[in-house]
Amino acid sequence: MTVVSAPLPPAPFWNRNFLIWWLGSAQSSLGSALAGIALSFLVLRQTGSAGAMGVNLALSMLPALVSPLFGTLIDRLPILPPLVLGNLLRAGLQLGVGIAALRGPVPIEVLHLLALLGGLVAAFYSPASMGVVARLVPKESLQRAGGLMEGTAQGMSLLGLIGGGVLVSRLGSGPALIFDGLTFAVFAGLLLFVRFPSVSDRPAPAGFWAEFRAGLRYALSSPVLWGLPLIALLINAAFAPLEMLLPKRMLALGAGAAGYGLFFGLMLTGVGLGSLLLAWLGGRTSPRVLSVFGLGGMGLCVSALAATQSAAPMYTLALLLGLANAATNVSIGVIFQTRVDPAYFGRVGSLLGMVSMAGQPLTLLALAPLADHIGVAVIFAVAGAVTLLGAVAWGMLLRVDGEAAPERT
């Protein structure tokens, strides 16, 4: 049987269920930021190889390729059990590797296996979490809730990045990983107090694979639905040159590693501030219009990076890039939760995650052979131009979609 969420009951924005989800997500974001630094240094200290870190990161991303299968499973289940199970599994993995790190060196093979398992859990958990806010707040509060969730997550991530460096340098990776595991365990416990809307049953079309195919057909049923994953891919692809080429650019400008860290710190600050601003604005802006302008703003910022001749203007562009990214991400989230039927949250959400995850590694692989032969400015200019074209294409898709399939109520 497939379960479908009933219409949302009338509820204020600050209801208990959303408050628990928000607080649980916030403390989990802090733990994950700490753990990201801890795991990176754990791998590097034990292997001395940046390549080993690359393999570990790739293994964590690989399971995203099968996330549509998990998304189909999620759509057949009540929403609470996958959320609780996902957090408990993540808690177990992080606590396990954290305790092992306290006892001594952890074999790189074990770390690679844990990265793969963590990626599998994320591929299972992410489709379940993507439609939660739409189930907990009224439709007119979705942008406010999305902005608050994104802004808080970015704020906690920034705090975790700053504090994580100090914690790991003084105490090692083990305590940070254990802290992350505890945040997941706390989140699982908090979720037991969340009450989701009641569900009603409908017959499954013809079993698991029939529902899988139905999800694909649904995702291809309108320009907006099949365009969402492509826009997510484009966003990640636009950011790939930054992470790959910015260190070289900062070294050339004399800013070095400190400048690199400041750039991304300012960008995270921009994302956080922009998200909180959108939360304050609430429904006074159009998510569709905002998504086009946000994507266009990202393209302009990346293009402008190509013309910079010193570090100072790059810092300003980093803040603006973060603001544009917030506008894009928050509005895309609102479009997803208002445009997609709740019965398909898992399948469409997992497709969105799978395609968007592919954007960054594919771009990095494509740029790797060219990075040392083509100027950084040229690559930034091309990336910016492609993003601007993507903004135009996305605007056209939204216009074509029009009123053909109105937002769900």
Side-chain angles (χ1 to χ4, degrees), residues 2 10 37 45 72 115 127 153 212-213 237-238 266 301 310 328 330-331 339 354-355 365 409:
T2 300
I37 294 177
R45 283 173 179 170
T72 303
F212 177 79
R213 292 189 294 270
L266 287 169
C301 289
S310 64
T328 306
V330 172
S331 57
R339 188 64 179 78
M354 180 188 72
V355 177
L365 289 173
T409 58

Side-chain angles (χ1 to χ4, degrees), residues 3-359:
V3 293
V4 184
S5 294
L8 284 170
F13 172 66
W14 283 115
N15 64 79
R16 186 195 70 172
N17 295 320
F18 174 70
L19 182 62
I20 293 173
W21 176 255
W22 173 56
L23 293 175
S25 299
Q27 57 94 40
S28 181
S29 295
L30 174 62
S32 296
L34 291 172
I37 294 177
L39 185 60
S40 298
F41 277 89
L42 183 62
V43 173
L44 289 173
R45 283 173 179 170
Q46 296 187 180
T47 65
S49 169
M53 189 63 240
V55 171
N56 195 266
L57 183 61
L59 287 172
S60 69
M61 293 181 175
L62 190 61
L65 296 175
V66 297
S67 59
L69 299 179
F70 288 122
T72 303
L73 177 62
I74 293 298
D75 283 339
R76 296 167 63 88
L77 298 171
I79 189 62
L80 184 59
L83 294 173
V84 174
L85 178 61
N87 277 292
L88 288 176
L89 289 173
R90 295 195 294 181
L93 289 173
Q94 295 298 73
L95 288 172
V97 69
I99 293 171
L102 288 178
R103 294 179 175 179
V106 183
I108 188 60
E109 294 80 9
V110 173
L111 293 176
H112 286 342
L113 176 61
L114 289 172
L116 183 63
L117 292 175
L120 282 170
V121 175
F124 169 77
Y125 181 82
S126 294
S129 66
M130 291 187 72
V132 167
V133 174
R135 292 178 165 98
L136 300 181
V137 302
K139 178 184 173 183
E140 61 271 16
S141 298
L142 274 176
Q143 180 164 304
R144 188 179 175 192
L148 184 62
M149 292 289 297
E150 181 74 11
T152 305
Q154 294 300 331
M156 290 296 101
S157 296
L158 185 59
L159 180 62
L161 289 173
I162 296 171
V166 176
L167 179 63
V168 172
S169 64
R170 293 187 177 181
L171 301 179
S173 297
L177 291 166
I178 290 173
F179 179 81
D180 187 33
L182 291 176
T183 64
F184 287 132
V186 169
F187 201 0
L190 289 173
L191 283 169
L192 297 177
F193 296 94
V194 176
R195 296 293 175 263
F196 289 95
S198 59
V199 296
S200 57
D201 293 338
R202 68 172 173 83
F208 180 89
W209 290 108
E211 290 203 344
F212 177 79
R213 292 189 294 270
L216 291 179
R217 288 194 297 270
Y218 181 82
L220 296 173
S221 64
S222 82
V224 165
L225 295 185
W226 59 256
L228 275 171
L230 296 180
I231 293 303
L233 183 149
L234 190 63
I235 294 170
N236 281 341
F239 273 85
L242 294 181
E243 296 191 24
M244 182 178 186
L245 301 174
L246 202 61
K248 181 179 179 180
R249 184 70 163 173
M250 286 298 182
L251 284 174
L253 296 176
Y260 177 83
L262 180 58
F263 182 94
F264 279 101
L266 287 169
M267 190 172 73
L268 282 177
T269 300
V271 175
L273 291 176
S275 300
L276 293 176
L277 175 61
L278 290 174
W280 176 73
L281 289 172
R284 284 174 279 182
T285 58
S286 166
R288 293 189 171 215
V289 173
L290 195 63
S291 65
V292 176
F293 278 96
L295 197 58
M298 290 173 60
L300 289 174
C301 289
V302 175
S303 298
L305 285 173
T308 54
Q309 300 298 320
S310 64
M314 294 184 71
Y315 299 145
T316 301
L317 288 170
L319 188 64
L320 294 175
L321 185 59
L323 292 170
N325 182 256
T328 306
N329 280 341
V330 172
S331 57
I332 289 294
V334 174
I335 292 171
F336 171 84
Q337 292 181 91
T338 55
R339 188 64 179 78
V340 177
D341 189 291
Y344 293 91
F345 272 161
R347 281 164 285 182
V348 178
S350 60
L351 182 64
L352 179 65
M354 180 188 72
V355 177
S356 64
M357 284 286 286

